[in-house]
């Protein structure tokens, strides 16, 4: 089979009227040195199961500590002007985390390190492309992060005025913003190191960063809240971010030492080449990725801006609701976090078919997980909020307001998860580096497609603003949450179209059919869970009854409707619990 055949086959599957697939590097075969041991690829299924298990465990621990952090914030400070001021300052790390850790940095550097690893396998005796990539990118990144951190601290008053002009106490928000601005440098370094480790299929340390992050916040919050007030939370955020970068530095350096020592680059290196004509940086590829991440995070800016004109505590209710709702997405995002290096490696090798199959599978699995969580939140939101938050300064009215916002937010959770799955392969098609021996593909049409996710997000933000402004006078915080859900759903629909334009020809009827079956199962599970949760008055019993009912009904309906993402795990559990009789067990005793 010709090495370029997978790409041609995928182009042939595009619907009429679509642009042809973006040219990708053809699959190449490494030529190991004589006598050198061949690298053995990990057993795919076992590797994914182990990686997902470790990532899920550590991420669950980080989420639990983050939830404990929010519980302590609610207990110590309630929902008032002080927490509103801190949550405006929280916008800095809340924006920096997706930009520098979870989204933009990963979108850029996981494909870049994946391509460097492919080149290392192709030429084991040449200069190490991984070291060369680090030398070419890390110093510039650190300089840019320092400048951003300093700029955010100096411009804190203007930033607070821009984000929340209606705050009654902007001085406290400015102080907290200057403290949280320190997170930008360690967040960016943690995102870079974590991307490199994930590309090497090392998931343990990157999954643990939010554990140490929240431990740092909790340590300062518990010890200093009585002295510093809500400022203690801001100091904890800054300290926790330093722990994140420190956790990843050791594993990253060990991985780097495993590579071959860098050799002197050949004379006559091409401009922009990373080490002897091996890799070429494409700096402008950073801009559309950052633009998408910032516009996606702008939903939070819009909520804070519009919510600052509502009664005190509204921003806090929105924040607590968002934190609880995001728990439903955690496992769904973990799926594509673990599989992203596989998709990036397939695209670096030019195998569009493998990338498409992996994306389709991720879309189904992520939808199954997030819809199960959405059904649970829809059914049990009041008891969940009461169980988690209703104590200290957080009263029954806060519980009712937060639970109502959670239910409205939940309508947008499936779209949030699916966007996380789709945007990763989209940006991997044109990473921040390319092979130096390949012709450039920077024609105008391709460059415009780089901006498609950001444009889709801008249109989604337009929907968010329109719905929020129209609904806020009558419904307050619920109107803002409805705008959030409507805008992100519109963006998800546009990004599904964008994958086809990018050349990743997902089979849309198959994908939408699977989503419809999962959605039907979630609707039935929500109705049954709400009835079960209404029976006990105790929040703990209500949450348990409702949650168990949701899980059982979702499993039964998903299996009955033929949703493979539900049916296959359910049948595996049934076979494990009730194994079929063996041939010997089925025989009658001798002589009867």
């Amino acid at each position: 089979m010709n090495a370029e055949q997978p790409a041609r086959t995928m182009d042939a599957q595009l619907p009429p009227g679509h642009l042809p697939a973006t040219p990708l590097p053809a699959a190449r075969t490494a030529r190991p040195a004589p006598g050198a041991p061949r690298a053995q690829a990990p057993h795919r299924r076992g590797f994914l199961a182990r990686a997902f298990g470790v990532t899920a465990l550590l991420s669950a621990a980080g989420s639990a500590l983050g939830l404990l952090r929010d519980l302590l914030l609610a207990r110590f400070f309630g929902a008032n002007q002080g927490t509103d001021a801190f949550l405006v300052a929280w916008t800095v790390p809340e924006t920096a985390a997706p930009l520098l850790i979870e989204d933009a940095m990963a979108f850029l550097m996981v494909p870049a390190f994946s391509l460097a690893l492919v080149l290392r396998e192709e030429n084991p005796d040449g200069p190490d492309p991984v070291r060369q990539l680090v030398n070419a990118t890390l110093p510039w990144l650190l300089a840019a992060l320092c400048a951003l951190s300093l700029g955010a601290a100096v411009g804190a008053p203007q930033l607070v005025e821009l984000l929340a002009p209606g705050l009654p106490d902007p001085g406290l928000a400015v102080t907290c913003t200057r403290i949280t601005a320190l997170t930008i440098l360690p967040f960016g370094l943690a995102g870079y190191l974590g991307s490199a480790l994930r590309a090497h299929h090392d998931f343990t340390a990157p999954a643990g960063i939010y554990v140490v992050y929240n431990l740092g916040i909790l340590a300062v919050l518990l010890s200093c809240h009585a002295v510093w007030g809500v400022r203690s939370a801001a100091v904890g955020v800054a300290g926790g971010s330093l722990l994140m970068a420190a956790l990843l530095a050791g594993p990253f350096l060990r991985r780097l030492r495993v590579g071959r020592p860098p050799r002197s680059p050949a004379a006559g290196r091409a401009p922009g080449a990373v080490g002897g004509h091996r890799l070429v940086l494409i700096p402008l590829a950073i801009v559309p990725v950052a633009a998408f991440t910032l516009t996606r995070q702008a939903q939070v800016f819009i909520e804070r801006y519009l919510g600052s004109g509502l009664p005190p505590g509204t921003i806090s209710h929105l924040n607590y609701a968002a934190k609880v709702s995001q728990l439903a997405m955690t496992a769904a995002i973990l799926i594509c976090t673990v599989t992203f290096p596989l998709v990036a490696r397939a695209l670096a090798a030019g195998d569009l078919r493998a990338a498409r199959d992996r994306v389709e599978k991720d879309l189904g699995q992520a939808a199954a997980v997030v819809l199960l969580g959405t059904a649970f939140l829809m059914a049990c939101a009041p008891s969940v909020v009461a169980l988690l938050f209703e104590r200290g300064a957080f009263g029954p009215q806060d519980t009712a307001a937060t639970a109502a916002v959670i239910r409205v937010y939940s309508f947008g959770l499936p779209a949030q998860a699916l966007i996380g799955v789709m945007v990763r392969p989209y940006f991997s098609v044109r990473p921040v580096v390319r092979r130096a021996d390949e012709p450039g593909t920077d024609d105008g049409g391709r460059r415009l497609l780089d901006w498609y996710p950001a444009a889709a997000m801008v249109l989604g933000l337009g929907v968010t603003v329109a719905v929020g402004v129209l609904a806020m006078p009558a419904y307050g915080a619920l109107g803002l949450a409805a705008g959030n859900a409507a805008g992100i759903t519109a963006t998800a629909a546009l990004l599904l179209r964008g994958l086809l334009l990018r050349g990743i020809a997902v089979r849309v009827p198959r994908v939408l059919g699977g989503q419809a079956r999962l959605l039907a199962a979630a609707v039935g599970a929500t109705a049954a869970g709400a009835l079960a949760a209404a029976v006990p008055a105790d929040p703990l019993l209500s949450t348990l009854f409702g949650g168990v009912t949701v899980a059982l009904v979702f499993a039964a309906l998903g299996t009955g409707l033929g949703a493979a993402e539900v049916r296959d795990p359910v049948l595996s559990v049934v076979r494990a619990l009730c194994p079929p009789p063996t041939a010997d067990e089925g025989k009658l005793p001798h002589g009867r």
Side-chain angles (χ1 to χ4, degrees), residues 238-396:
S241 66
L242 294 173
L243 295 177
M244 297 170 85
L247 177 67
L248 298 179
F252 173 79
L253 292 174
R254 285 194 294 272
R255 285 285 181 180
L256 204 59
R257 281 196 292 266
V258 169
R260 300 175 303 282
R263 300 185 178 185
S264 300
R269 179 186 302 179
V274 180
H277 303 279
R278 303 303 307 280
L279 292 173
V280 173
L281 292 174
I282 310 175
L284 292 181
I286 298 172
V287 181
V289 177
F292 167 78
T293 305
L294 288 174
T295 51
R296 186 177 182 182
Q297 190 63 24
Q299 282 198 312
V300 177
F301 304 158
I302 291 170
E303 286 186 359
R304 301 272 162 85
Y305 183 87
L306 297 177
S308 66
L310 293 172
T314 298
I315 294 177
S316 298
H317 295 148
L318 290 167
N319 174 73
Y320 293 135
K323 291 293 187 294
V324 174
S325 300
Q326 287 169 3
L327 294 176
M329 289 198 311
T330 300
I333 297 300
L334 290 182
I335 292 172
C336 55
T337 298
V338 171
T339 60
F340 181 31
L342 303 179
V343 175
R345 187 74 69 94
L347 290 171
D351 192 351
L352 276 172
R353 182 183 297 278
R356 179 205 64 188
D357 293 345
R358 183 69 256 174
V359 170
E360 289 181 351
K361 188 174 293 186
D362 289 350
L363 287 170
Q365 292 174 342
V369 172
V370 77
L371 283 171
L372 175 59
T374 299
F376 170 69
L377 290 176
M378 287 277 199
C380 306
S383 61
V384 168
V385 176
L387 182 65
L388 295 176
F389 295 109
E390 195 174 314
R391 55 184 59 84
F394 198 96

Side-chain angles (χ1 to χ4, degrees), residues 36 84 203 354 509 562:
D84 284 354
F203 294 92

Side-chain angles (χ1 to χ4, degrees), residues 112-184:
F113 278 107
S114 296
L115 180 56
L117 289 169
V118 168
L119 290 174
R120 175 193 279 179
E121 293 170 358
E122 290 177 3
N123 187 8
D125 295 327
D128 186 6
V130 176
R131 287 174 176 265
Q132 294 164 352
L133 180 61
V134 171
N135 292 337
T137 55
L138 186 55
W140 292 102
L141 174 68
L142 293 176
L145 292 172
C146 289
L148 286 173
S149 186
L150 180 62
V154 172
Q158 294 75 24
L159 190 59
V160 170
E161 177 64 24
L162 177 65
L163 293 174
L167 274 184
D169 184 11
L172 179 59
V174 169
T175 300
C176 292
T177 300
R178 284 180 168 149
I179 297 171
T180 57
L182 300 175
T183 62
I184 293 176

Side-chain angles (χ1 to χ4, degrees), residues 484-507:
N484 184 302
I488 204 66
T489 302
T491 300
L494 292 170
L495 275 180
L496 182 59
R497 166 75 175 177
L499 279 182
L500 300 175
L501 296 175
R502 196 64 155 175
I504 303 175
V506 294
R507 290 159 289 193

